[in-house]
Amino acid sequence: MPQIQGLIVAPGLGLGPVHVVRARLDSAPVWSLRADETGAEIERLDAAIDQVFEVLGRRQKEVAKAVGERDAGILGVHQMILRDPGARADVDRAIRDERLNAEAAVDRLIHTLEETMGRLDGDSIRGYAADVTEPWRAVVKALMQTDQESFAQSEDKVVIAAAELTPEAVTFLGRERIHAIVTEAGGRFSHGAVLARSFGIPCVVGIPNLLARLEQNMQVLVDGDHGTIVLDPDEATIAAFMTRCDQRSTRTSALSSHAGKPAVTPDGTKLDVLVNLESVRDLDTFDVSHCDGVGLLRTEFLYMERTVFPSEEEQFRLYRRVVDSMQGRPVTIRTLDIGGDKQLPYFKTPKEANPALGWRGTRVTLEWQDLLRVQLRAVMRATAHGPVRLLIPMISSLDEVHSVFKIFDETRLQLTEQGYDVAPDIPVGIMIEVPSTLWILDDLLAEVDFISVGTNDLVQYLLAVDRDNVFVSGLYEPMHPAVIRALAEIGRAAKRAGKSVCVCGEIAGDEAVAVLLAGMGYDSLSVAPNFLAVLKFAIRAIPLAEAQGIVEHVLRLRSATEIKASLEGIRKRLGEAILAHEAG
Ligand code: PEP
Ligand code: MG
């Protein structure tokens, strides 16, 4: 009953029978059968073969009628292929002896046939290979279709397992029928991941060879908060999990009364608690009166469900929708941050050996300036409808900031000349996520209106650990003393310059880290909507003076273990206070 570590994509807890789905149309799902399921699986295979056989017979008659018996003959050959006892014995053996599901067993036969034929010479033989495998492909398709259809009609609530976190895997069933999703591949910023988060489905990805370890209907426990899963958990693990679920819901209901309160420390300092948005769907998942605005609109994801890049008009409508929904609260729109682990289906960046160190964010938009100009026009037009701030990602030098400013000024001039309304003051900020910026911070701060720390990237670049590589994810340590000291220095530098400083990376959603950041002088935190309530509770619970004392202490610590132990103390204290508040 091993616990397997994957990557966190969407928080939450889920437990239930697993259902393996095909993630792509061209791949057969693989899972293991229990010994007592092999008979039924062979029957399922029989039914699929009969179904394809019947279709072939029907088509043969139609073709014979339309173009003659000779051309229809090939379909008769396809029928014979399906009745080949040797091939069938191989498939049955894989199901019975290796306990492979029928789709995977037939898929393996197809590969064997292709390999055998591929070794023989001559075009006609290779053409024959296609003929031999085609009816078996139809069987795989029939198996998958009937399986998916009959499953979709049932009412079971399941944990979905798939090879990849595709949008199909996320939307294959209604939200109410999904406990959680687990996949072998897929980063935190795939389209499927964005969907899973906005639907609130707990989700863990990046578990190599997962499907081969699963049996259909096996119980799987998913902890989206920690990125772990347990296969076939024993009773004690299930009982502990249930207790956690209860605690989680008690905590959520206890916290709900805090979401609407302002984030003011007991000694009177107000912080802005903002939201990170990835899709317009996110707007429906929380009450806007619970936040002080949008701290990060990841515009790249607004454009995912499309086939071409959106026009200025379409972008303007999207931004305006966000601005209108925020009812006067500021909206921070980040310019496109594609490349690396964020890809749009219609804007393919080249294959790079080190994508995280490659062509991404502002490096792309400064080269493909049309993208930036169109986006800036749309953003600037949205400023006429409410407070908008512009945020530039992946900045590594002052020159890049100047280049963006130049395009910004030209765009503003062009718009005003064309008679558009543009706000006279549009605050422009940069993301602090590349370590080089730490050494030129004062220069950068002198030129921008605010900074926002992207700790997701800053941590990976400071520690040289790819944030999406499951093999090194154990080394991805946001509480590394280097990270903590860098964060403190950024807070100090912003204060010196009198500029607003925010953290919009995921660590800001951790209530103990939020207290630390408040103590470091951060005036705003931007988090996924589900963290708003806990953050406000934490800020309202601990006086700023005390948070500053915690920072002093933590800055003296020399290892992540010590820092985490120290923060665990705060987390525990806050946890108890939340429950005590509920009881009181
Ligand atoms: C970050 O790097 O912390 C950040 C907020 O940007 P993203 O996660 O979108 O790269
Ligand atoms: Mg980033």
Side-chain angles (χ1 to χ4, degrees):
M1 196 204 47
Q3 172 168 299
I4 308 168
Q5 183 70 49
L7 298 169
I8 299 173
V9 156
L13 304 172
L15 169 68
V18 73
H19 183 80
V20 181
V21 299
R22 69 191 145 135
R24 293 196 323 249
L25 291 174
D26 59 348
S27 73
V30 185
W31 67 86
S32 304
L33 301 168
R34 285 197 314 268
D36 62 352
E37 288 176 329
T38 55
E41 193 67 359
I42 287 181
E43 280 172 25
R44 197 164 76 86
L45 173 65
D46 280 335
I49 292 178
D50 288 349
Q51 185 188 331
V52 175
F53 195 88
E54 203 189 298
V55 171
L56 286 170
R58 246 194 343 259
R59 279 181 47 212
Q60 189 180 6
K61 283 199 193 107
E62 284 161 13
V63 175
K65 214 159 136 204
V67 281
E69 291 288 348
R70 236 180 110 87
D71 289 300
I74 184 64
L75 297 165
V77 175
H78 280 184
Q79 281 183 315
M80 277 162 55
I81 288 168
L82 290 181
R83 295 289 186 234
D84 170 12
R88 182 60 204 263
D90 285 348
V91 178
D92 283 2
R93 207 174 305 117
I95 295 176
R96 208 169 270 128
D97 300 347
E98 293 179 48
R99 299 212 224 135
L100 264 187
N101 62 308
E103 290 90 337
V106 177
D107 197 46
R108 184 193 287 180
L109 170 74
I110 293 171
H111 282 107
T112 312
L113 291 171
E114 278 173 348
E115 257 178 36
T116 318
M117 300 286 174
R119 279 200 294 272
L120 304 174
D121 270 351
D123 286 349
S124 60
I125 288 183
R126 274 193 288 276
Y128 183 60
D131 272 340
V132 173
T133 54
E134 199 175 303
W136 288 113
R137 285 184 205 286
V139 170
V140 175
K141 217 164 144 197
L143 279 165
M144 294 202 293
Q145 235 154 30
T146 48
D147 185 52
Q148 304 286 4
E149 277 162 16
S150 67
F151 186 74
Q153 276 158 18
S154 75
E155 287 181 354
D156 306 345
K157 189 165 178 180
V158 290
V159 169
I160 296 223
E164 280 178 66
L165 187 57
T166 58
E168 292 76 32
V170 181
T171 52
F172 158 61
L173 292 176
R175 167 67 187 102
E176 64 294 343
R177 287 193 52 201
I178 306 180
H179 288 296
I181 300 176
V182 290
T183 68
E184 292 187 334
R188 290 177 311 126
F189 290 103
S190 64
H191 185 187
V194 173
L195 282 179
R197 278 193 289 272
S198 67
F199 292 155
I201 304 173
C203 184
V204 174
V205 306
I207 304 176
N209 303 315
L210 169 70
L211 300 191
R213 297 163 81 170
L214 294 177
E215 288 172 358
Q216 199 78 296
N217 292 320
M218 173 193 260
Q219 288 289 309
V220 174
L221 184 157
V222 181
D223 180 346
D225 296 340
H226 297 100
T228 56
I229 68 166
V230 181
L231 308 183
D232 212 4
D234 58 23
E235 277 181 21
T237 310
I238 294 179
F241 178 80
M242 290 306 183
T243 310
R244 268 193 65 207
C245 289
D246 285 347
Q247 284 168 346
R248 206 173 190 278
S249 60
T250 312
R251 196 178 134 101
T252 309
S253 74
L255 282 169
S256 61
S257 62
H258 294 272
K261 297 180 182 163
V264 181
T265 63
D267 44 359
T269 298
K270 161 97 170 60
L271 268 81
D272 282 336
V273 176
L274 309 160
V275 284
N276 290 350
L277 296 183
E278 295 179 336
S279 80
V280 270
R281 252 189 308 270
D282 290 352
L283 286 168
D284 304 326
T285 64
F286 67 103
D287 181 338
V288 296
S289 72
H290 293 175
C291 72
D292 296 305
V294 176
L296 172 64
L297 179 63
R298 287 184 161 109
T299 56
E300 49 280 6
F301 300 121
L302 296 181
Y303 312 145
M304 267 182 169
E305 287 155 39
R306 312 178 52 91
T307 49
V308 290
F309 210 84
S311 66
E312 173 187 326
E313 208 49 44
E314 288 168 293
Q315 293 191 50
F316 166 66
R317 278 203 300 271
L318 274 170
Y319 303 147
R320 172 135 190 222
R321 202 164 137 203
V322 180
V323 169
D324 287 347
S325 333
M326 280 296 129
Q327 301 162 14
R329 296 170 184 83
V331 174
T332 313
I333 303 181
R334 184 173 73 180
T335 56
L336 261 192
D337 188 26
I338 41 174
D341 54 348
K342 296 181 211 152
Q343 298 287 341
L344 293 178
Y346 48 87
F347 189 81
K348 286 272 177 255
T349 46
K351 210 165 170 44
E352 297 170 277
N354 288 309
L357 300 183
W359 203 49
R360 58 168 293 200
T362 300
R363 298 168 183 186
V364 175
T365 50
L366 277 180
E367 211 164 306
W368 286 56
Q369 290 193 5
D370 287 356
L371 287 179
L372 185 58
R373 286 177 196 275
V374 169
Q375 186 171 32
L376 287 181
R377 281 181 64 92
V379 172
M380 283 182 191
R381 286 175 54 194
T383 65
H385 301 272
V388 170
R389 314 192 307 166
L390 188 75
L391 181 59
I392 320 290
M394 277 299 288
I395 287 293
S396 58
S397 72
L398 195 56
D399 288 345
E400 283 165 343
V401 177
H402 289 154
S403 305
V404 175
F405 279 177
K406 184 167 174 287
I407 297 171
F408 180 90
D409 291 340
E410 286 166 8
T411 310
R412 184 208 291 271
L413 186 67
Q414 186 189 51
L415 279 170
T416 42
E417 278 173 2
Q418 288 169 346
Y420 285 101
D421 268 349
V422 177
D425 273 320
I426 307 171
V428 181
I430 54 169
M431 297 279 296
I432 298 295
E433 46 191 353
V434 179
S436 63
T437 55
L438 301 180
W439 310 103
I440 51 169
L441 212 44
D442 292 336
D443 297 331
L444 292 167
L445 279 159
E447 310 241 355
V448 299
D449 298 302
F450 66 98
I451 56 174
S452 191
V453 188
T455 44
N456 304 342
D457 274 314
L458 186 61
V459 173
Q460 80 163 343
Y461 292 133
L462 270 179
L463 304 182
V465 176
D466 178 352
R467 65 182 184 174
D468 270 339
N469 181 343
V470 75
F471 297 106
V472 289
S473 56
L475 296 172
Y476 186 91
E477 181 49 86
M479 294 300 107
H480 190 295
V483 176
I484 298 300
R485 292 175 200 182
L487 287 171
E489 181 47 36
I490 296 167
R492 279 193 292 267
K495 207 166 210 164
R496 276 199 304 272
K499 300 280 165 79
S500 168
V501 55
C502 177
V503 171
C504 61
E506 264 147 49
I507 62 164
D510 176 322
E511 63 274 23
V513 175
V515 169
L516 204 62
L517 294 169
M520 289 175 176
Y522 286 79
D523 53 69
S524 49
L525 303 173
S526 192
V527 293
N530 49 325
F531 294 114
L532 288 172
V534 71
L535 236 56
K536 288 189 168 180
F537 183 90
I539 290 160
R540 292 173 64 81
I542 299 191
L544 188 68
E546 188 184 336
Q548 286 164 340
I550 298 171
V551 171
E552 268 180 43
H553 169 69
V554 163
L555 286 176
R556 282 195 296 270
L557 301 178
R558 298 190 304 164
S559 74
T561 315
E562 287 175 298
I563 295 174
K564 284 197 283 192
S566 183
L567 291 189
E568 203 42 50
I570 306 174
R571 198 170 295 118
K572 203 157 158 251
R573 193 174 129 197
L574 286 169
E576 283 162 6
I578 292 168
L579 297 177
H581 201 273
E582 167 83 341

